Amino acid sequence: MRYPQYLAAAPLAFLAACGGGGAATTTAPEPPASTFASLALTPTSGTVEVGRTFVLTPQARDGIGNEMAGAPAPAYTSSDPARATVAADGVVTGVAAGTVTITAVLAWGGVTDTATATLTVTPPAAPPTTFTLLALTPDAGTVAAGATLQLQATPKDQAGTALTGLPGASFSTSDATKATVSASGVVTGVSAGTATISAWLTWGGVTRTATALVTVTQVVPTAAAVTGSKAGFSPASVAVAASGTVTWTMTDEEHDVIWDGAAPAGGNIPRITKGSSASRTFAAAGTYAYHCTRHGETGSVVVKTAQTGAPVLTSLSVSPSSGGVQVGGTLQLTATPRDQNGAAMSGLPAASFSTSNPAVATVSAAGVVTGVAAGTATITATVTSGGVAKTGSAAITVTTTAPPPSTSTATVTTPTIAFSPPLVTIQAGGSVTWRISGATHNVTFAGPGPTGGNVPDTSPGGSATRTFPTAGTYDYQCTRHNGMTGRVVVQ
């Protein structure tokens, strides 16, 4: 260890000790006060993601490199604020990908010095893929008894993009006497009526469901054959469509066909010899009873028309039947009343909507769901007509996925019947470009829009850009496709 103050005083002390110079003594000089000599920033380089922050720490040092306390804060500047900004406390925020230099200047005690740090701004990390929706297409359909209908269950992420590599969905039917469904989603009509086909899929600890309403129709033949013998007519009763034809063939001896009431064109068939045939065509619906006067056997013909009766409100389907929405985001639901044949009905009162959990999701009178907090809620739609009330529901999952960071530009695409991403955040004065693919879409704003206003119908391959000079939230939709919504947040 050095003691410079004692070394400096040593010759004088020695002289005094030897009697030279009299009795005078000296004291060690005070060390000079530390003075500001240089400024350093730590770290001198680093990486920050767009929308994230990075903290720089200044260090004021004296002439021998010791850090000094009590120094004022330096002044900071960014070489490119479009890539990164810096606050008065040295907090750097990434704005756009690239490289930027942050400079700090400190003036203290008559000395001014600068220090720099070089930062690389990287693009924001893509949000993790979330299994948000199971789409079942078609969500309603009609199939004849004995015929089949293929349903397709498609898992989708939070942007509405189909997910691949997931296990297949499972299927079930609400009424196997009306329709059955295979493990691959093939529905087979069994008998006239309706059945709800449910699909569900579990992946990553998340289960999503979807439903389809299937109406089974009974096919009425346009022709029927009856054999006659002393044992009776076989079959004893046949059904044909209006304008259908029934043919009788006698297998043993002569028989006749005598109508008991209403008769088809041509009337009775007085005699049909063994091995011969005779036909009648039935123009009007109804039941036609007959008998053979020679042997007493009886039979009937039931004639049906294509009309199955006046439409009756039988069910209410909600589309989509399940879905996901971010906190603050919206999802449009559509309620469709259907008759006994599964056909959509018009002219009925509008559906009313309710939510099982308004703390998680609310729903407007028009069926627009708004995410409030993370969780699940069931949205129920109700339609009442002719004293009959029918309900349908949709299972909604609300997530807290953070909105993308603020940038000066953003691009929205339409890979499916959805805007991707559904939410973009830009700076005031920035712009959004919609690139249309897959189908014709438009961008129609719910309220005041950006400069240039709405984007009209645009064919696949087209694009349109709008500039947003004013901060705020701009909700929009494609009016051609229900539930296709998006949002632009301008900061």
Side-chain angles (χ1 to χ4, degrees), residues 22-52:
T25 60
T26 61
T27 59
E30 290 294 329
S34 297
T35 58
F36 170 57
S38 64
L39 175 67
L41 282 178
T42 57
T44 58
S45 63
T47 300
V48 61
E49 188 179 300
V50 168
R52 302 285 185 175

Side-chain angles (χ1 to χ4, degrees), residues 395-426:
I396 303 299
T397 300
V398 181
T399 61
T400 57
T401 304
S406 177
T407 60
S408 58
T409 62
T411 299
V412 178
T413 60
T414 59
T416 60
I417 305 301
F419 292 110
S420 179
L423 171 65
V424 295
T425 304
I426 61 172

Side-chain angles (χ1 to χ4, degrees), residues 7 65 71 92 109 120 148 179 189 218 227 242 290 312 321 323 334 372 403 414 435 490:
L7 292 176
V92 180
T120 300
T148 60
Q218 191 71 47
T227 58
Y290 65 90
V312 176
S321 59
T334 301
V372 177
T414 59
R435 301 189 184 282
V490 183

Side-chain angles (χ1 to χ4, degrees), residues 98 165 172 342 460:
S172 65

